[in-house]
Amino acid sequence: MLDAMAHRGPDSRGRASAPFAEVGFVRLSILDVANGTQPFETAGPEEGRASCFLNGEIFNHRRLRAGLAHDGACLETGSDAEVLPHLFTRHGGALFDHLEGMYTVCVLDRAGRRVLLGRDPVGIKQMYIYRGAGLVVFASEIKGLLASGLVPAEVDERRLLPLLTMFYVTGSGTLVRDVEQLLPGQVATVGPGATVEIRDAEPLIPEQCDGFSGDIASSIVRKALVDAVGGQLESDVPLGLSLSGGVDSSAIAIAAAEAGHRAMVTLTVSYPDTDQAEATSAQELASRLGFEHVLLSPDTGALARDLPMLGWLADAPVLDPALYSQYLIANAAREHVTVLLSGAGGDEVFGGYGSYFPSGAQQVLLGLPGPLRSLASVLVRNPKHRDLLRHAPSRYGLHAALMSSLGPSGRERVRGMLPGSADPYARLFSAFERHAGRDPAGQQMAADLETYLPEQVLPMADRASMAASVELRVPLLDVSLIRTGSPLNSEIKLGTPPAPKRLLRDAIADAVPAGFFDRPKTGLPNPMTGFVHAEWDGLVRSVLLAESAPLTGWFGAAWLSDLVATRDSAVRNYRVIGTLVALAAWHRWFVQLGRVDRPEIGTRELFEIPA
């Protein structure tokens, strides 16, 4: 298992055992490189009671240290993980209530004959658990579970429809049968007889409040931003910021400078065939703030060659095409830094996605009176508009449609071929219901914070960065900043007329030149469209329609043939085809071949396709 997880921690390994459990750990050294080897053990009268492991970072460890030292504890290293056994001695299973950070934590409690597993409240780090006959296996990636030899590599076919629809398996389920993931903030107790009890987290997102003016809100956000970023800059190894020139990463750079941190390198990715405006802006901002700046030109790779790597990266799997681009960026950044700050989360907290801004036609449909909506839902021909009308005036239908890779007819065809499929939208619908008291855009942001972010965005970012042995930190998702930004209503955050992340822009406006953000957002390059266009009649058809592949058995050759009937149809359906191709690579490597190591072969060799 440790060999399969070595990319996550190439610097050292640790183990702890008890008659009822054994735990292994691989470490990426960030704080107190020399003395931070894990596990950390309970001491004093509690010596030998528990061994504690930390994946990630505890950002409030210095405050915790001060309190522990005041109570007489003796802490001997600079590692944030050292606070864990002391907290466990004092608080038992409630130690997680005292942590602020991005983490999964494991406590091997010998005296209690149990193992405690906790995931941070935002879901920045992940924990996967397999329950078998009389045993429990857990790891930070599914490939670690499979490497144990105790977890059958069997596909849970109920999860295929959510995967094709959303790019990821929703909720606590995974694509591997009997493997589940902890949801954000959950704590699992593995006890005698391999029992697993899961404690849910307290709600992360506060109720919406309307009592702020824009100026006051801007000032509050600026302070919370500086505090959040300043609290995440501690590192004993090179630390950098992925600076795109967009609002989110620029806000982090400005906050870092304001917090007095100048020992950070900013890194900007430049692709030859993309607009260079953001790269130029990033260079200007870095120079203005006094940061060392590095322009990265990662090998854009060749997806036609690297499908085995994409399948291996996907792991759980998460199959957004951006996964491959994020890995290439992290791999290039590893030459300069070990810790990389990212602007992930700004869209969900401060309102940056286009889905939060309905078009004129969508606004008209959402605003129709009830009887007219019923009539319109019969007359309109666009299936996405029908879904929108069915749930109006709530934006749930609109949001679900915009999040979907698979349209209504495709979902019905897949559901017909895979009876018993899980509902792709169950979690999303519950989140909208839970936040029904918010304004419409606020509902969307809260739903994304609870579902899309921890189930797709953050696992993808973690997998891509850790595959390159880089720790990714996301300061815009600091809990204190979420609790500052999330309660504000959409009029405060987006302004009138609404514009993406207007409040965050206003909060940092004095630190950038006028018009600095007045350009379209470039975003990560999407390698899948070019791959599908170039390989439509080659690798794409070979992988999708192979008789020996599982895809035809699950989805039927007729539907798959329809998707790739022509080059134009394939390009139109690139999101679904990209998911299917990556799924086939994942399945071939992990299930059919039973491999967990990093692939060192090409696509044709993986699928045994003649050259």
Side-chain angles (χ1 to χ4, degrees):
M1 291 179 73
L2 296 183
D3 287 343
M5 305 283 283
H7 54 281
R8 298 189 66 89
D11 297 328
S12 69
R13 298 186 178 192
R15 300 178 70 166
S17 61
F20 58 91
E22 185 166 354
V23 182
F25 179 80
V26 290
R27 181 189 181 212
L28 180 64
S29 302
I30 305 295
L31 297 181
D32 199 342
V33 174
N35 302 303
T37 302
Q38 298 186 38
F40 280 94
E41 309 278 349
T42 49
E46 297 282 293
E47 184 173 358
R49 174 183 174 176
S51 302
C52 300
F53 300 85
L54 166 67
N55 167 34
E57 300 290 335
I58 298 171
F59 296 127
N60 67 330
H61 78 102
R62 292 200 176 277
R63 292 200 304 274
L64 293 171
R65 282 171 173 277
L68 291 167
H70 183 268
D71 292 342
C74 179
L75 289 89
E76 300 176 342
T77 79
S79 171
D80 51 343
E82 191 181 9
V83 302
L84 293 174
H86 297 279
L87 291 173
F88 179 71
T89 297
R90 286 157 176 75
H91 305 291
L95 87 158
F96 301 99
D97 299 337
H98 300 266
L99 304 180
E100 297 174 12
M102 42 178 263
Y103 59 81
T104 47
V105 165
C106 170
V107 178
L108 175 60
D109 178 7
R110 296 180 180 85
R113 296 187 58 79
R114 61 179 181 167
V115 174
L116 301 177
L117 305 170
R119 185 181 181 191
D120 68 77
V122 182
I124 302 168
K125 293 294 183 179
Q126 295 81 48
M127 176 63 74
Y128 298 94
I129 301 174
Y130 168 79
R131 307 190 207 191
L135 63 87
V136 174
V137 187
F138 56 89
S140 297
E141 293 184 6
I142 284 184
K143 59 178 69 72
L145 296 180
L146 298 178
S148 71
L150 301 170
V151 179
E154 298 175 353
V155 172
D156 186 344
E157 295 182 358
R158 298 172 302 166
R159 312 295 180 184
L160 288 166
L161 177 58
L163 179 65
L164 284 191
T165 302
M166 308 289 279
F167 280 150
Y168 62 95
V169 176
T170 57
S172 60
T174 72
L175 197 57
V176 179
R177 192 184 309 279
D178 297 324
V179 173
E180 60 187 316
Q181 65 173 320
L182 286 185
L183 295 176
Q186 285 186 332
V187 175
T189 301
V190 184
T195 59
V196 179
E197 296 181 2
I198 295 179
R199 185 189 82 191
D200 287 330
E202 293 295 318
L204 173 65
I205 305 172
E207 293 295 319
Q208 184 169 291
C209 62
D210 303 317
F212 290 98
S213 71
D215 289 342
I216 293 174
S218 177
S219 176
I220 291 172
V221 166
R222 177 66 169 261
K223 183 181 184 309
L225 173 68
V226 172
D227 289 345
V229 173
Q232 297 199 18
L233 295 174
E234 185 179 8
S235 175
D236 292 335
V237 293
L239 179 147
L241 164 65
S242 180
L243 182 62
S244 69
V247 177
D248 298 328
S249 60
S250 297
I252 295 172
I254 291 164
E258 193 163 318
H261 189 91
R262 302 286 177 173
M264 179 173 71
V265 59
T266 55
L267 304 104
T268 298
V269 177
S270 177
Y271 291 98
D273 56 348
T274 57
D275 186 354
Q276 300 300 300
E278 281 199 350
T280 301
S281 296
Q283 170 71 68
E284 291 174 357
L285 182 62
S287 177
R288 183 185 183 100
L289 297 174
F291 291 124
E292 177 188 351
H293 189 67
V294 174
L295 192 66
L296 299 177
S297 298
D299 174 11
T300 53
L303 197 52
R305 177 196 70 209
D306 287 346
L307 282 178
M309 173 61 76
L310 179 59
W312 181 81
L313 283 170
D315 193 66
V318 174
L319 296 175
D320 190 313
L323 173 64
Y324 182 66
S325 296
Q326 288 197 350
Y327 167 71
L328 294 176
I329 292 169
N331 203 42
R334 186 65 170 90
E335 297 181 15
H336 305 276
V337 300
T338 307
V339 178
L340 187 64
L341 272 62
S342 162
D347 290 307
E348 291 84 356
V349 177
F350 293 103
Y353 291 130
S355 56
Y356 304 154
F357 304 87
S359 67
Q362 291 164 345
Q363 290 183 48
V364 169
L365 293 174
L366 287 166
L368 288 174
L372 285 179
R373 283 203 306 273
S374 299
L375 177 61
S377 66
V378 176
L379 297 176
V380 298
R381 308 181 77 175
N382 186 319
K384 289 187 176 182
H385 284 171
R386 284 201 297 271
D387 278 353
L388 183 156
L389 287 162
R390 189 174 297 123
H391 297 280
S394 167
R395 289 190 189 175
Y396 162 73
L398 170 66
H399 197 81
L402 293 174
M403 295 287 288
S404 301
S405 300
L406 201 59
S409 61
R411 290 198 301 274
E412 289 310 308
R413 287 188 70 168
V414 173
R415 189 177 281 111
M417 291 179 281
L418 294 170
S421 292
D423 181 357
Y425 303 119
R427 286 264 298 161
L428 186 64
F429 183 77
S430 295
F432 267 80
E433 290 283 288
R434 194 159 44 252
H435 297 288
R438 293 175 174 269
D439 60 66
Q443 265 188 299
Q444 292 178 275
M445 292 180 225
D448 278 345
L449 265 169
E450 290 185 350
T451 60
Y452 174 63
L453 186 78
E455 294 171 17
Q456 196 263 13
V457 175
L458 294 173
M460 177 176 67
D462 180 74
R463 225 98 75 211
S465 59
M466 293 306 291
S469 301
V470 170
E471 177 179 273
L472 195 75
R473 296 181 185 173
V474 284
L476 296 185
L477 292 174
D478 189 276
V479 169
S480 63
L481 190 53
I482 290 175
R483 288 177 174 155
T484 298
S486 293
L488 304 175
N489 66 37
S490 296
E491 184 176 356
I492 294 172
K493 285 197 277 192
L494 306 180
T496 305
K501 289 181 277 201
R502 188 190 296 270
L503 176 59
L504 187 57
R505 292 181 184 221
D506 289 347
I508 59 173
D510 65 331
V512 296
F516 186 78
F517 299 122
D518 293 345
R519 64 191 182 306
K521 182 176 180 178
T522 302
L524 290 176
N526 184 342
M528 196 58 71
T529 51
F531 167 72
V532 171
H533 185 273
E535 295 289 342
W536 156 70
D537 203 24
L539 283 178
V540 170
R541 293 177 66 86
S542 297
V543 172
L544 260 62
L545 303 179
E547 292 183 3
S548 61
L551 300 183
T552 53
W554 289 329
F555 307 116
W559 181 63
L560 296 171
S561 297
D562 287 347
L563 290 176
V564 295
T566 66
R567 192 186 306 275
D568 287 344
S569 67
V571 171
R572 280 198 309 274
N573 292 298
Y574 82 90
R575 286 166 61 102
V576 176
I577 290 173
T579 303
L580 289 167
V581 168
L583 171 62
W586 175 89
H587 186 272
R588 177 70 177 159
W589 190 251
F590 289 112
V591 180
Q592 291 182 323
L593 298 179
R595 301 280 293 273
V596 296
D597 54 313
R598 187 189 298 258
E600 300 292 343
I601 61 174
T603 300
R604 290 188 176 277
E605 186 179 352
L606 174 68
F607 290 107
E608 299 179 345
I609 299 171

